[in-house]
Amino acid sequence: MVEELCFLPMPASGLKSRARSKVAPMREVVTRVNRAISAIRQLWAGQLDDDLLTTTEWPAKTMSPNGQQAADHLLQTIGSAIQRKPPNAPVGAAALRRQRGAGNYSLSPSATKTSAIPKRGDIWPADIAAIALPPGDIQPVSLASTSRRAGELLNNYEKTMLKTSTERKQILKKQAESAEIPYVDPNIQKGIYELALRMAMGKMLAGVSQPMSTVGLFTVVKKILECGAIVLRLVFDQRIPNTLWQEPKWAPLSGPGALSSIDLSVEARDNPLTHLEVATGDIPDYYYRLGLPLGMAKWFCLPNVEVGKLCDMLKEKGEHDIADRLMAEAGGKRSGSVGLQVPPMGWSWAVVLAQFNIQDVIMTTTLDGKLILTPERCITEGAPPPQISTEIRVAHYEYIDDYGLLVLTTGESENLRIRLAQAVRDHLTANGFPVHKEVGGEEMVSLGHVIGGRPPLVMPAEEKLWLAVECLWELGRGGQGLPAQVESVVSLSTWMMMVRRGALSVYAETYDWIRVHREEKAIRQIPKEVRRELMAVSALLPLSRQELTAPWFDTVFMFDASDTGAGVCETPAS
């Protein structure tokens, strides 16, 4: 069918401005469809060429019925994506500025043209007062009490999580010989007691009599306020301390690929009145609510902090209870230290423990006295998807501090989605994990993707989709960019392509180029091989969607390839 797919004719723009404005939307649709056709034909030929780099309008041809059917599908899919495009979506260079974080806020008066422009996630010089830390009313909850799987690890962590004492001694000896220590931002070094005071008041610390390992500390941009003020996120450099721990267990995370594998085709055929409803929520300050066993704090000590001096500072602030607790935990030794009693971001086991906890709490939620959100109903990347039907109407997914519920509604008077979402929220709250940003309906945005609608789809959220499309096209067309920005845009697009995993095969030279140049801070010329891939992905991204009610194809294909050949076979599905 690809050989029969031809380019579409471009509608005439017209001579008058009113005529041009009327035909402009259709010209955009045809342009983007022809770009997609070009990318598809190149991939079918087995090699990308310069067509997208050099061509702006393609010659149209009369198509066969099969070719026309494929073209109509592209028109419908890309046209639908364009209809959902935000009206103020930036294009060209403006998209690159938006993706870098520029243009969303006013820089301070002292900023100059050479000032670095921060964006979310950038490593940024620390300012103790600007670091977002948990409010004092948060009380960490023992992970061992709320999560069975986390408890099995933590209750015997020296055997289940740490490397053996012999291995640790060898590692520590090599680190001592090479003078390797975790990185600490210079501003944090100067203000370490000020930071420790804030962390102690946020219930993040425990007293330690004998430190075993220290953490590194630096900050990244969490968000930028309208006034231009930067809010920072505290991150822990655990690259060196992580070497003392075993490889973590697999984290059963959800994602867009798992969500798009849900199959509602049978229900759409047999029960056309059913529709999908979605409920989502997340837990604020989640990591700060996860309590580690007291004995683990010695592995996550703050550098150069004596518990005695910190307790004196706490008492000056009137925090006598916290000071007394820290000193008691340190065995009364003023020369003792303080360590984290919550999982540090950067610790190799943090994501696993956080994921185990949110899943285990949600899976113990009951509705009408029954466990409904069982492990078999969990939507997980790399695992078989649960079957949702009129008999078993619910499924759930979790991604660290985010969660979602999928409910097949049958038109009955009861609203299962509302009742189930309420039950989950109440159960999380009762276990010490309050919920915010809770929303529900037929279509929601979660994990950067739209989920639901009629028919139910999984597709990238519009704002991020068109930002990625424009950034990729501009980087490919312009032929130059910051390696860090290329990597950021590629990462964003690969997350979107999880919905259509076949598209991941487009990137090849791009990964190598990023790997070679990722540490470079200057703008670089982007080689033609990489530009071809960036523009091909830009052309294909609007097609990255899955319709969950789509019927199964009646032919099964099997294919394989090597450096010297390829083969394809087919058989009727049965």
Side-chain angles (χ1 to χ4, degrees), residues 552-558 568-574:
W552 286 84
F553 193 52
D554 58 8
T555 303
V556 179
F557 294 92
M558 182 176 291
V568 181
C569 62
E570 65 178 64
T571 185
S574 59

Coordinates of all heavy atoms in Angstrom, one line a residue, residues 552-558 568-574:
W552 N -9.3 -5.6 15.5 CA -8.0 -6.3 15.1 C -8.0 -6.6 13.6 O -9.0 -6.8 13.0 CB -8.0 -7.7 15.8 CG -7.7 -7.6 17.3 CD1 -8.6 -7.4 18.3 CD2 -6.4 -7.7 17.9 NE1 -7.9 -7.3 19.5 CE2 -6.6 -7.5 19.3 CE3 -5.1 -7.9 17.4 CZ2 -5.6 -7.6 20.2 CZ3 -4.1 -8.0 18.3 CH2 -4.3 -7.8 19.7
F553 N -6.8 -6.5 13.1 CA -6.5 -6.8 11.7 C -6.6 -8.3 11.5 O -6.2 -9.1 12.4 CB -5.2 -6.3 11.3 CG -4.9 -6.2 9.8 CD1 -5.9 -5.6 8.9 CD2 -3.8 -6.8 9.2 CE1 -5.7 -5.6 7.6 CE2 -3.6 -6.8 7.8 CZ -4.5 -6.2 7.0
D554 N -7.2 -8.7 10.4 CA -7.4 -10.2 10.2 C -6.3 -10.9 9.6 O -6.4 -12.1 9.3 CB -8.7 -10.4 9.3 CG -8.5 -9.7 7.9 OD1 -7.4 -9.2 7.6 OD2 -9.5 -9.7 7.2
T555 N -5.1 -10.3 9.5 CA -3.9 -11.0 9.0 C -2.8 -10.8 10.1 O -2.6 -9.6 10.5 CB -3.5 -10.4 7.7 OG1 -4.5 -10.6 6.7 CG2 -2.2 -11.2 7.2
V556 N -2.1 -11.8 10.4 CA -0.9 -11.7 11.3 C 0.4 -11.8 10.5 O 0.5 -12.6 9.6 CB -0.9 -12.9 12.3 CG1 0.3 -12.8 13.2 CG2 -2.2 -12.9 13.1
F557 N 1.3 -10.8 10.8 CA 2.5 -10.7 10.0 C 3.7 -11.1 11.0 O 3.6 -10.8 12.2 CB 2.8 -9.3 9.5 CG 1.8 -8.9 8.5 CD1 0.6 -8.2 8.8 CD2 2.1 -9.1 7.1 CE1 -0.3 -7.8 7.8 CE2 1.2 -8.7 6.2 CZ 0.0 -8.1 6.5
M558 N 4.7 -11.7 10.4 CA 6.0 -11.9 11.1 C 7.1 -11.5 10.2 O 7.1 -11.8 9.0 CB 6.1 -13.4 11.5 CG 7.4 -13.7 12.3 SD 7.5 -15.4 12.8 CE 6.2 -15.5 14.0
V568 N 9.4 -11.4 5.3 CA 8.1 -11.2 5.9 C 7.2 -12.3 5.5 O 7.3 -12.8 4.4 CB 7.5 -9.9 5.3 CG1 6.1 -9.6 5.9 CG2 8.4 -8.7 5.6
C569 N 6.4 -12.8 6.5 CA 5.4 -13.8 6.1 C 4.1 -13.4 6.8 O 4.1 -12.6 7.7 CB 5.9 -15.2 6.6 SG 6.1 -15.4 8.4
E570 N 3.0 -14.0 6.3 CA 1.7 -13.6 6.8 C 0.8 -14.9 6.9 O 1.1 -15.9 6.2 CB 1.1 -12.6 6.0 CG 0.7 -13.0 4.5 CD 0.0 -11.9 3.7 OE1 0.7 -10.9 3.5 OE2 -1.1 -12.1 3.4
T571 N -0.2 -14.8 7.8 CA -1.2 -15.9 7.9 C -2.5 -15.3 8.4 O -2.5 -14.3 9.1 CB -0.7 -17.0 8.8 OG1 -1.6 -18.1 8.8 CG2 -0.5 -16.4 10.2
P572 N -3.6 -15.9 8.0 CA -4.9 -15.4 8.5 C -5.0 -15.5 10.0 O -4.5 -16.5 10.6 CB -6.0 -16.2 7.8 CG -5.3 -16.8 6.6 CD -3.8 -16.9 7.0
A573 N -5.5 -14.5 10.7 CA -5.7 -14.6 12.2 C -6.7 -15.6 12.5 O -7.7 -15.7 11.8 CB -6.0 -13.2 12.7
S574 N -6.5 -16.3 13.6 CA -7.5 -17.3 14.1 C -7.6 -17.2 15.6 O -6.8 -16.7 16.3 CB -7.2 -18.7 13.6 OG -5.9 -19.1 14.1

